[in-house]
Amino acid sequence: MSPLRVRTFRMNSGERMALLVHGSRGLPVIPVVPYALRLRARSAAPATMRKALSAVALGLDVFADLGIDLIQRVAQRRFLSSDELIALAERCRISEPEFGSRLVDPHYAKTRYLTCADYIEFVAEPVIARIADAVQHDAANAALERFKRRVKRFAPKSDSHSTNDDGSPKERLGMTPAQRELFLRVIQPGDPGNPYSLKLQVRNCALLKLAYELGPRAGELLGLKCADFDFSVQPANFTIHRRHDDPDDYRENPATTKTNARILSLDDDLRDLLDEWITYQRSDRSKFPHARKHPYVFVNYKGEELTDRGLRDIISTLEQRYPELAPLHPHIFRHDWNDRWNEANENSAKPEEDLRDQKAAMGWSHRSSMPQRYGKRSIRNSANRKIARMQAMGRTK
């Protein structure tokens, strides 16, 4: 069999379907198709489907190397031994050869490993269901449960690289005050320190200021359409829609919204900046000739829809020019927004109302625990300020 690879198909409805394929003609790997359909039934995003099927491809390669026939193993109630699971875990820690066979992020390694285990369980379920003898059926289910426990024992540790070089915890944090000041200055069009070409300075400022001021996810930014903005009202606003399988989106990685739809207001400065970009800059055919072919707000240098790779390049260009802004990535603005929200409301008399509004602004469910995962820098600073007050009280007694 030729090397396995994941291929994404775009249907007329706009839906993306990923399949594991092989051979020069890209024929589907038939035993894996039902698993791909289950991912689709779970409404997995195209990128999630591709990652899951890539992990399955890795697992199939490992099983082939070890001479493992999954169906035969299930029928024999053997599954994978401890040594075989260790071998699978080790392979999940290493990137594909074309990327230099380096160690991958530990969280990604664990996700790959657990996806392979999930696929084994998926293969096992119909095999066990066909066992007619009640005693053997129960024995097979018991063997499957033992396998699940064994899987957990040998899973890659997701926190194995969770510390910095100095031993401090590695966390996703928002920016420091100094970083915010530098960031907001150098993204301004015309600033001497702006690292972008004159043609793209207004676009990049509009995109980055929108990310900074309102904290949308990267997919929400890339999925914004010109019609989502209303500059005729006061205050101006825009709507973040849930548009899964959008027929307008032809990007390989379509923009997706994981959170709830919502309407967010714009202050006058951000409204004017976005109006300048959408009404005058983006519509200039001499600058962005392909922008008229699609409805999306943010475009590349030709006017085509901006991709997730393009967004990362914009941010990495800024980080390369200003290393003191590191680590800079698309999601840092969401963390930073929550830091600033917590700082602004630290002494509020209505904490429950503030928490409700925070969840609404981020598109989180009212039952969500996400506020505890975001804004870690502000939470830590607030805790330390309270500790300092407690210590001061102790010294005055």
Side-chain angles (χ1 to χ4, degrees), residues 46-234:
T48 302
M49 291 185 68
R50 287 196 295 273
K51 288 180 180 178
L53 293 176
S54 294
V56 171
L58 179 150
L60 293 178
D61 286 341
V62 172
F63 304 152
D65 291 342
L66 297 176
I68 296 172
D69 183 323
L70 289 180
I71 294 179
Q72 184 182 67
R73 288 291 189 92
V74 174
Q76 296 172 348
R77 302 195 297 274
R78 292 173 55 205
F79 295 96
L80 269 64
S81 68
S82 298
D83 289 342
E84 290 166 340
L85 285 172
I86 291 172
L88 176 62
E90 288 301 316
R91 181 62 186 85
C92 288
R93 293 188 177 97
I94 302 172
S95 67
E96 289 75 9
E98 58 264 33
F99 297 114
S101 297
R102 55 179 173 76
L103 290 176
V104 303
D105 178 86
H107 294 281
Y108 181 45
K110 185 173 183 179
T111 299
R112 289 167 122 187
Y113 173 86
L114 294 178
T115 300
C116 291
D118 183 64
Y119 177 71
I120 294 171
E121 293 176 34
F122 178 80
V123 171
E125 288 169 358
V127 176
I128 294 175
R130 289 194 295 268
I131 299 176
D133 183 83
V135 174
Q136 293 185 18
H137 186 274
D138 291 344
N141 275 324
L144 178 59
E145 291 303 317
R146 289 194 298 272
F147 169 70
K148 291 179 182 180
R149 291 193 294 271
R150 194 157 59 245
V151 163
K152 293 179 181 178
R153 278 207 310 274
F154 298 105
K157 303 300 182 184
S158 59
D159 60 349
S160 58
H161 298 286
S162 60
T163 57
N164 298 308
D165 293 339
D166 61 1
S168 60
K170 183 181 290 184
E171 300 177 290
R172 277 194 166 186
L173 303 173
M175 293 186 282
T176 65
Q179 287 176 319
R180 291 172 190 159
E181 182 180 359
L182 174 62
F183 167 79
L184 291 172
R185 174 171 58 81
V186 298
I187 65 171
Q188 288 297 320
D191 187 272
N194 193 306
Y196 305 113
S197 67
L198 289 175
K199 173 182 173 179
L200 298 176
Q201 286 186 5
V202 173
R203 179 203 70 175
N204 291 351
C205 186
L207 186 153
L208 293 171
K209 279 292 292 293
L210 186 60
Y212 175 84
E213 294 288 354
L214 293 166
R217 300 178 68 89
E220 295 169 346
L221 272 175
L222 297 174
L224 287 172
K225 298 182 179 182
C226 296
D228 295 336
F229 288 82
D230 188 351
F231 299 132
S232 66
V233 297
Q234 184 62 33

Side-chain angles (χ1 to χ4, degrees), residues 279-324:
T279 306
Y280 301 102
Q281 299 284 334
R282 182 189 180 282
S283 61
D284 188 337
R285 301 300 180 236
S286 65
K287 292 182 177 178
F288 305 102
H290 296 167
R292 68 182 185 277
K293 298 180 180 179
H294 64 84
Y296 296 101
V297 170
F298 296 111
V299 303
N300 65 13
Y301 70 100
K302 294 181 181 178
E304 298 163 343
E305 305 97 317
L306 186 67
T307 64
D308 53 351
R309 174 63 181 273
L311 175 59
R312 291 195 300 272
D313 286 346
I314 291 171
I315 293 173
S316 66
T317 296
L318 190 60
E319 185 183 54
Q320 289 169 13
R321 178 71 175 272
Y322 297 100
E324 57 267 45

Side-chain angles (χ1 to χ4, degrees), residues 196-369:
Y196 305 113
S197 67
L198 289 175
K199 173 182 173 179
L200 298 176
Q201 286 186 5
V202 173
R203 179 203 70 175
N204 291 351
C205 186
L207 186 153
L208 293 171
K209 279 292 292 293
L210 186 60
Y212 175 84
E213 294 288 354
L214 293 166
R217 300 178 68 89
E220 295 169 346
L221 272 175
L222 297 174
L224 287 172
K225 298 182 179 182
C226 296
D228 295 336
F229 288 82
D230 188 351
F231 299 132
S232 66
V233 297
Q234 184 62 33
N237 63 58
F238 71 102
T239 304
I240 293 177
H241 292 278
R242 290 182 61 86
R243 293 191 179 105
H244 290 285
D245 305 322
D246 185 356
D248 289 330
D249 199 339
Y250 285 85
R251 287 170 284 198
E252 181 179 354
N253 291 326
T256 57
T257 300
K258 293 184 177 181
T259 49
N260 295 331
R262 57 202 185 276
I263 299 175
L264 299 174
S265 297
L266 303 166
D267 66 17
D268 290 347
D269 289 341
L270 187 53
R271 176 205 61 198
D272 292 345
L273 178 61
L274 285 160
D275 190 26
E276 168 68 19
W277 163 245
I278 295 172
T279 306
Y280 301 102
Q281 299 284 334
R282 182 189 180 282
S283 61
D284 188 337
R285 301 300 180 236
S286 65
K287 292 182 177 178
F288 305 102
H290 296 167
R292 68 182 185 277
K293 298 180 180 179
H294 64 84
Y296 296 101
V297 170
F298 296 111
V299 303
N300 65 13
Y301 70 100
K302 294 181 181 178
E304 298 163 343
E305 305 97 317
L306 186 67
T307 64
D308 53 351
R309 174 63 181 273
L311 175 59
R312 291 195 300 272
D313 286 346
I314 291 171
I315 293 173
S316 66
T317 296
L318 190 60
E319 185 183 54
Q320 289 169 13
R321 178 71 175 272
Y322 297 100
E324 57 267 45
L325 289 175
L328 204 58
H329 50 81
H331 212 60
I332 196 173
F333 303 111
R334 196 165 174 85
H335 287 270
D336 193 71
W337 186 95
N338 282 277
D339 273 337
R340 287 180 282 120
W341 176 275
N342 291 338
E343 291 164 2
N345 295 285
E346 181 177 358
N347 299 315
S348 171
K350 299 179 179 179
E352 293 183 0
E353 184 177 310
D354 295 332
L355 184 61
R356 179 202 65 192
D357 294 345
Q358 179 184 11
K359 292 177 181 179
M362 291 287 96
W364 294 324
S365 162
H366 68 278
R367 296 185 298 272
S368 175
S369 62

